[in-house]
Amino acid sequence: MKRLYLLRHGQTEFNVKKLVQGRCDSPLTDLGRKQAGMAAAWLKAHDVVPDKVVSSPLGRAMDTASLVATELLGPDAAVEPCEGIIERCYGSFEEGPHDALPTDVWDPGEDLVPFGGEGSQALQERMVGTLTNLMGAEGIATLLAVSHGSASRQFIKAAAPKGFELPTKLPNCAIMIFDFDDAREEDDTLQCKFTLQQIVDPQQSN
């Protein structure tokens, strides 16, 4: 069975200030870099050696991915930027305070579309389509992908078993583990090939 490790980026300055990031960017904090180190240590302790490392092209994700990949694969580890797993656009609310949103910042449904943002259905289809293509590529048995809180949440919704209760907020550098069954027949559901196995917060794990 193939396996996907999906990782949220480390803490950023905007996270601390509770500002909407979306497609804009904000650097990792010292804690954010430390969280990336904790995620790498957890993955290393569980013998995770990815065949490929991909990341949202935004700086906070690329920096997290580079820190983790270097620990797992050495100083020459390559991180491939991947537009398909970038965070949702929050339209006119980007760079503003979370409190200014007329909806939930992590799971806004389609509420942001009138403001130039990306709806949850489009985001979920983008995440599932991109990650399915990446996992289906030849030579990929284990993939590490670094993405974002809201984008990862929609992907979890597509792949979680029935009755699974999502956490209100995914911690920074949460590790989401999915099985990928390439042989499973396509059907009319988005979750046809991925199954969520576990969500790990490396800051809470030994």
Side-chain angles (χ1 to χ4, degrees):
M1 185 74 71
K2 294 185 174 188
R3 183 151 277 196
L4 165 66
Y5 293 86
L6 181 62
L7 182 68
R8 186 186 173 206
H9 61 79
Q11 185 195 69
T12 68
E13 291 179 7
F14 271 27
N15 288 153
V16 174
K17 296 173 182 174
K18 291 187 166 38
L19 296 175
V20 177
Q21 290 181 113
R23 300 285 174 85
C24 60
D25 218 347
S26 171
L28 296 179
T29 61
D30 288 342
L31 176 57
R33 287 186 285 275
K34 195 177 290 185
Q35 289 166 337
M38 291 179 194
W42 189 94
L43 292 164
K44 205 167 189 175
H46 289 80
D47 300 318
V48 176
V49 181
D51 299 301
K52 188 174 192 175
V53 181
V54 299
S55 170
S56 155
L58 293 170
R60 60 191 186 270
M62 287 292 291
D63 289 348
T64 301
S66 294
L67 288 166
V68 175
T70 298
E71 284 297 315
L72 295 180
L73 301 172
D76 297 326
V79 176
E80 184 178 303
C82 178
E83 285 281 347
I85 59 172
I86 198 170
E87 182 60 293
R88 79 161 78 227
C89 174
Y90 282 81
S92 57
F93 295 103
E94 299 221 345
E95 299 187 78
H98 284 187
D99 292 348
L101 262 73
T103 185
D104 182 74
V105 66
W106 301 110
D107 203 353
E110 308 304 312
D111 294 347
L112 296 171
V113 174
F115 301 95
E118 183 178 20
S120 289
Q121 184 176 345
L123 171 57
Q124 189 175 98
E125 289 173 358
R126 169 167 65 78
M127 288 289 289
V128 172
T130 300
L131 289 165
T132 298
N133 287 338
L134 286 164
M135 291 300 296
E138 194 174 336
I140 303 295
T142 303
L143 178 73
L144 174 63
V146 181
S147 186
H148 304 266
S150 188
S152 296
R153 187 178 187 85
Q154 289 308 312
F155 185 74
I156 290 170
K157 281 186 159 187
K162 281 185 180 177
F164 177 79
E165 193 169 329
L166 274 117
T168 306
K169 177 186 171 187
L170 287 168
N172 286 106
C173 282
I175 302 166
M176 297 149 271
I177 305 167
F178 302 85
D179 281 345
F180 179 78
D181 186 356
D182 205 15
R184 195 184 301 179
E185 288 295 319
E186 291 282 354
D187 57 28
D188 60 357
T189 61
L190 279 171
Q191 64 268 40
C192 52
K193 292 192 175 187
F194 289 97
T195 306
L196 175 68
Q197 298 298 318
Q198 189 180 4
I199 300 177
V200 175
D201 181 357
Q203 297 172 87
Q204 305 294 327
S205 302
N206 295 323

